[in-house]
Amino acid sequence: AVAVELQAFSLGESIREAESTEAGAAVAKAGAVAEAEALLPEAVTEVEPGDLVLLGPGVPHEYRLCPAVVTKVAERHCTVVVLNSEQRIAVGECWPGFRDIAMVENRMLRLGTHVVVQGMQGQRTQRLNGFSGVVSLHPKQGHPTFVCKPSAPGQPQLTICVCFDDPEAAGERTALIEPRFLQPYDDAVQKMSNSLGDVMVRVASLMSTQPC
C-alpha cells in the first residue's frame, strides 16, 4: 500500500510539474506579446485597400502582431488578408476595427500610386524591369489581387495590378506583379539620379588623371 501511495504521489508531482511548465510557458508567451504590444504606436484611424498593416491586440489571438493587407474598408472597420512573415502568401482573413490595427507599414500599394518594376528575374518577366506604371484596379479581381501558382495551388500569393505608362514598350497594358518587385517612382528616380551622379564623378576623375 505504501508503494502504491508513493507511486501515486510521484505521478501527481509529475503532473503538477508538467502543468507548471506549460503554464509558465503560456505566461511567458503572453508576457512577450504584451511587451511587444506595449511598444507599438497608437492605433491608426484611416486605411485604404492595398495598405500593408501590422495587426494589434484586438484581433484573433493567432493573428496578433502579424502582417496583413487591407482589401476592403468600411466606416469603422476593414477586411484584411493575413500574410506570412514574408508578406507574400495569404494565410487567413479577419475583420479588425481601425483601433485593432497597430500601424500601417507601407502605403505604396494604394490605388493610383506611381511605381517602377525592379528586381524581376523570371525568363518571361525580367524584361519588365525599369518600366513604370500606376497601381490600378483589376477589372475582374479588384484590388489587391491574389494568384495561386500551379506549383502551389493552396497558397494564394499577393499581387498588384500595374498599368504601364508605356504599354507598347512594355509589351502589355497591365501585369500582376508581387509587391517585392515594385518601388515607389520617386525613389527609383532618386536612385537613378544618384547612380548617374556617381558615374559622372568617376568619369571626371578619370579625365583629370589623363595627360594633356
Side-chain angles (χ1 to χ4, degrees), residues 130-141:
F131 283 103
S132 61
V134 176
V135 175
S136 305
L137 188 72
H138 190 276
K140 293 183 179 180
Q141 299 183 38

Side-chain angles (χ1 to χ4, degrees), residues 77-93:
H77 75 280
C78 60
T79 302
V80 303
V81 170
V82 185
L83 304 172
N84 67 349
S85 59
E86 296 179 344
Q87 299 186 356
R88 295 182 58 194
I89 306 298
V91 297
E93 187 177 42

